[in-house]
Amino acid sequence: MRIARFTTGEEPSYGVVTGELDQLGQPDEDAVVVALAGDPLYVGIKLLDQEHRLSDVRLLAPVLPRSKVVGIGRNYAAHAAELGHDLPEEPLMFLKPNTSVVGPGDPVFYPPQTQELHYEGELAVVIGRICRDVPPEKATDVIHGYTIANDVTARDLQRKDGQFTRAKGFDSFCPLGPWIETDLDPQTFKDGVRLQTFLNGDVVQDGSTADMIFDIPALVAHVSSVMTLLPGDVILTGTPEGVGPMQVGDEVEVSIAGLGSLTNRISTR
């Protein structure tokens, strides 16, 4: 089930997206979104007798994290190598503020403080219930679904600061979308799902979730051993090799097989 958050020009609504995806993760021409009676994280799936053509609505970030976005660094060996880092012995966590979240088609703003703004296409896990100390074998019990993320990073500030908060925390530095897919198992990603990032139409990242160092159950267990996770919290699972710079005017698309694609353009404020 694909759960979207959308607007027709009025207050944001939630809905279920129907229709097939093509090889590039784009929905077919007949795709519609059937409205829901509120946020399914809190009221469940209650369909209304309202539907819209998907092409007639504006998709928003499918979830607004109530408290946090938890990023995982260096979770693909080749990415750690391209940045000259050793492999972590346990998941390397950092936080992005919920104010960094934007949706499909929203601009990513290039801050004046950086000269090296990078894309990082990632799979994102959306938490569905309050939880703490979740064992790996129980991870599916607390996962609401999966979406696509771009963990935008000011790479020069990351090197300068020696930590991640400023480099990854600017407003608009966490695009999410286009929807949340609820009917996938973590084993799907452990077996391998293709993740690609396109910069102005050219492939710049082409990896597989099978190459994660720590799989999704391990990440949920590790993060929840440190902090309570709340409904709507998001865990970013790391990026494959191929990260690189973006410039104002560039268009970045992150595509994950079976999930769809997320596109944003780089802009000045």
Side-chain angles (χ1 to χ4, degrees), residues 7 19 28 114 118-119 145 163-164 192 217 227 233 252:
T7 180
D28 61 36
T114 180
H118 279 204
Y119 54 80
Q163 48 93 359
F164 297 179
M227 62 190 75
D233 282 353
V252 180

Side-chain angles (χ1 to χ4, degrees), residues 137-229:
E137 63 271 17
K138 295 291 186 180
T140 54
D141 294 346
V142 305
I143 293 174
H144 177 55
Y146 303 88
T147 190
I148 302 171
N150 185 352
D151 177 20
V152 178
T153 304
R155 194 70 67 198
D156 50 353
L157 299 184
Q158 185 180 18
R159 290 193 299 266
K160 179 180 179 181
D161 294 350
Q163 48 93 359
F164 297 179
T165 301
R166 181 165 67 138
K168 293 176 176 285
F170 284 91
D171 289 356
S172 78
F173 272 25
C174 190
L176 296 175
W179 40 66
I180 297 169
E181 175 58 73
T182 63
D183 294 335
L184 292 174
D185 187 274
Q187 185 63 40
T188 303
F189 301 105
K190 189 171 184 177
D191 291 341
V193 172
R194 193 177 191 183
L195 187 160
Q196 294 178 293
T197 301
F198 302 83
L199 182 65
N200 300 320
D202 296 326
V203 178
V204 287
Q205 288 185 289
D206 194 348
S208 170
T209 58
D211 296 329
M212 287 183 187
I213 299 170
F214 304 103
D215 65 13
I216 290 169
L219 294 179
V220 172
H222 184 76
V223 175
S224 68
S225 74
V226 176
M227 62 190 75
T228 299
L229 293 171

